[in-house]
């Protein structure tokens, strides 16, 4: 790979940046895709939620509460033998809520001092309210004659119950995807539209050099747009940051790389600017918004949609952003997600180079 060739091609790209058909697809294909995504992706039911139960004293009341929770089709209960184990499972996101029954519960159940403690994962304020409603509904059927029972509830990871934090921490990935993939989807297809691809092929530049020049140009532009996004969400909405800064920055850098290479791949495959822009929205942006977990819990969708979502790069980026901003810790998950994004980016890059090389022959 010749650095001078890449430098000259990069200058050409920036000069083009500075200067700067398919009705059937829009009329018939796009409505099917949108109805499919909206129909399956916007189901707000969460089923089942995972609830941990710990009792200082395991007795009949404790067993009845456990059976009542498991009796609901919306709840899957797990029994822990200590409050510490129960709380640790919540911190690791193995469960969605934890319930703790004190040792004097059975004795004071008819007194005004009887109480239980419920901790809820509050990363998503809307999901937290749904979880609380499920638990309260299950407990009310068991203790409907006990008016004095006090339930103490705490929201974890999002104590202010701020839905904006939840939405922005995930939706910023959708914005990055739109910026990066949409811009880069136009670059290679433009060469075919303008009939300049043959001129590039006639030069000494290799396919890898052509792709790398375009990648560098649009990667830098996409990073600038990404920085603006994060400046805005921090300046206007004061999102808390609880994760690892190094892993967070690496994840952002890698996801922008994934989005740009995906746009280049779409551009190389379609060879038409109009279709490339349409496919960039359908293939990259819409899944990033609706099938990544940015807006809706993926447990609410059918299994085959869930597995499709797990095959999409935005799903892992959204998970990493939520961990970094709201829950913190879980560095191993961030590293795994980072490696997955790296594999996607390399796959998209090499496939793009192959397609351009094949077209230039």
């Amino acid at each position: 790979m010749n650095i001078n060739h890449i430098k000259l091609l990069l200058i050409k790209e920036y000069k083009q940046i500075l200067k700067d058909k398919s009705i059937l697809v829009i009329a018939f294909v796009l409505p099917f895709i949108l109805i499919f995504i909206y129909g399956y992706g916007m189901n707000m039911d969460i089923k089942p939620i995972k609830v941990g139960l710990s009792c200082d004293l395991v007795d009949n009341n404790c067993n009845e509460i456990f059976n009542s929770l498991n009796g609901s089709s919306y709840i899957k209960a797990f029994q822990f033998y200590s409050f510490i184990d129960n709380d640790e499972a919540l911190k690791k996101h193995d469960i969605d809520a934890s319930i703790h029954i004190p040792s004097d519960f059975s004795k004071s159940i008819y007194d005004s001092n009887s109480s239980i403690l419920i901790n809820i994962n509050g990363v998503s304020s809307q999901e937290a309210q749904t979880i609380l409603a499920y638990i309260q509904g299950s407990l009310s059927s068991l203790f409907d004659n006990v008016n004095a029972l006090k339930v103490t509830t705490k929201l974890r990871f999002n104590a202010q119950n701020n839905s904006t934090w939840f939405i922005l921490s995930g939706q910023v990935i959708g914005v990055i995807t739109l910026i990066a993939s949409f811009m880069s989807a136009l670059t290679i297809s433009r060469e075919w539209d303008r009939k300049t691809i043959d001129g590039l092929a006639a030069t000494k530049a290799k396919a890898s050099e052509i792709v790398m020049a375009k990648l560098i140009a649009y990667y830098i532009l996409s990073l600038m747009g990404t920085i603006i996004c994060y400046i805005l969400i921090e300046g206007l909405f004061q999102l808390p940051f609880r994760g690892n800064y190094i892993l967070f920055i690496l994840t952002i850098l890698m996801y922008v790389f994934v989005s740009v290479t995906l746009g280049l791949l779409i551009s190389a495959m379609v060879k038409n600017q109009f279709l490339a822009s349409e496919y960039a929205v359908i293939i990259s942006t819409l899944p990033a918004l609706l099938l990544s977990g940015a807006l809706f819990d993926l447990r609410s969708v059918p299994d085959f949609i869930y597995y499709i979502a797990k095959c999409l790069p935005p799903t892992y980026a959204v998970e990493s952003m939520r961990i970094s901003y709201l829950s913190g810790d879980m560095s191993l998950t961030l590293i795994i997600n980072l490696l997955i994004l790296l594999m996607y980016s390399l796959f998209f890059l090499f496939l793009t180079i192959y397609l351009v090389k094949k077209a230039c022959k």
Side-chain angles (χ1 to χ4, degrees):
M1 190 177 297
N2 193 308
I3 301 298
N4 289 329
H5 289 172
I6 295 178
K7 181 180 178 180
L8 293 172
L9 290 168
L10 193 56
I11 293 172
K12 165 189 166 296
E13 289 300 323
Y14 277 116
K15 285 184 177 180
Q16 285 185 337
I17 290 170
L18 293 174
K19 285 182 179 180
D20 243 54
K21 198 163 241 167
S22 181
I23 301 300
L24 291 177
V25 172
I26 297 175
F28 300 108
V29 179
L30 189 58
F32 277 99
I33 296 174
L34 291 177
I35 293 297
F36 186 80
I37 293 176
Y38 277 100
Y40 288 111
M42 297 187 69
N43 189 333
M44 299 302 293
D45 291 333
I46 304 172
K47 184 180 179 182
I49 63 168
K50 297 178 181 179
V51 178
L53 176 66
S54 58
C55 304
D56 286 340
L57 178 63
V58 180
D59 55 12
N60 289 334
N61 281 318
C62 182
N63 292 330
E64 287 180 4
I65 292 174
F66 181 77
N67 293 332
S68 177
L69 291 171
N70 265 333
S72 170
S73 60
Y74 291 90
I75 299 175
K76 184 176 182 180
F78 300 86
Q79 195 153 12
F80 295 87
Y81 294 100
S82 71
F83 171 79
I84 296 176
D85 292 339
N86 198 3
D87 193 64
E88 190 66 23
L90 181 63
K91 290 179 180 178
K92 293 180 178 179
H93 298 263
D94 292 335
I95 57 177
D96 302 302
S98 67
I99 302 175
H100 182 67
I101 310 298
S103 57
D104 62 346
F105 177 79
S106 297
K107 294 180 181 179
S108 60
I109 192 170
Y110 293 101
D111 299 333
S112 58
N113 294 324
S114 62
S115 65
I116 63 176
L117 173 64
I118 301 177
N119 281 317
I120 297 176
N121 186 333
V123 169
S124 166
S125 58
Q126 186 172 11
E127 181 180 334
Q129 296 301 323
T130 303
I131 292 172
L132 179 59
Y134 288 169
I135 294 175
Q136 287 180 332
S138 180
L139 294 179
S140 64
S141 64
L142 186 61
F143 298 106
D144 54 351
N145 295 323
V146 183
N147 298 322
L149 177 64
K150 294 181 180 179
V151 178
T152 303
T153 305
K154 294 181 180 180
L155 290 178
R156 302 289 292 274
F157 315 119
N158 188 357
Q160 296 185 27
N161 198 23
N162 191 331
S163 60
T164 302
W165 290 357
F166 171 76
I167 293 172
L168 283 180
S169 60
Q171 279 298 88
V172 68
I173 294 300
V175 176
I176 293 171
T177 305
L178 180 61
I179 293 172
S181 63
F182 192 83
M183 285 195 304
S184 56
L186 301 176
T187 177
I188 298 178
S189 57
R190 185 191 300 121
E191 304 292 350
W192 270 283
D193 280 351
R194 295 179 178 179
K195 311 298 182 183
T196 56
I197 190 67
D198 293 331
L200 287 175
T203 66
K204 295 181 179 181
K206 299 178 181 178
S208 59
E209 295 167 350
I210 295 172
V211 173
M212 287 304 299
K214 295 181 180 296
L215 172 62
I216 294 171
Y218 286 91
Y219 183 71
I220 293 173
L221 285 177
S222 300
L223 277 182
M224 293 171 63
T226 300
I227 292 171
I228 292 172
C229 289
Y230 280 100
I231 290 175
L232 288 175
I233 65 174
E234 287 292 342
L236 297 177
F237 303 100
Q238 292 82 45
L239 266 70
F241 189 88
R242 302 188 176 103
N244 184 301
Y245 279 103
I246 295 176
L247 291 176
F248 169 76
I249 293 172
L250 289 176
T251 300
I252 292 300
L253 293 175
M254 187 53 63
Y255 185 71
V256 173
F257 192 79
V258 170
S259 297
V260 173
T261 52
L262 177 58
L264 291 175
L265 177 60
I266 293 171
S267 188
M269 293 176 63
V270 177
K271 302 179 182 180
N272 178 280
Q273 289 186 83
F274 179 79
L275 287 179
S277 62
E278 293 293 331
Y279 290 157
V281 172
I282 297 170
I283 296 174
S284 61
T285 305
L286 286 181
L289 295 174
L290 299 176
L291 291 178
S292 64
L295 284 178
F296 315 110
D297 196 300
L298 292 177
R299 290 173 296 181
S300 64
V301 302
D303 288 343
F304 72 99
I305 297 294
Y306 172 82
Y307 291 119
I308 291 175
K310 296 299 287 186
C311 293
L312 302 175
T315 303
Y316 302 97
V318 167
E319 182 182 30
S320 293
M321 291 302 100
R322 291 265 164 77
I323 291 172
S324 297
Y325 272 109
L326 299 178
S327 61
D329 203 5
M330 301 181 70
S331 296
L332 180 60
T333 302
L334 294 176
I335 293 172
I336 293 173
N337 290 348
L338 186 60
L339 292 175
I340 292 173
L341 293 176
L342 175 61
M343 288 189 292
Y344 273 112
S345 64
L346 293 177
F347 173 74
F348 294 153
L349 177 60
F350 288 125
L351 187 55
T352 302
I353 293 174
Y354 170 77
L355 291 176
V356 173
K357 184 177 180 180
K358 183 178 180 181
C360 291
K361 287 183 178 180

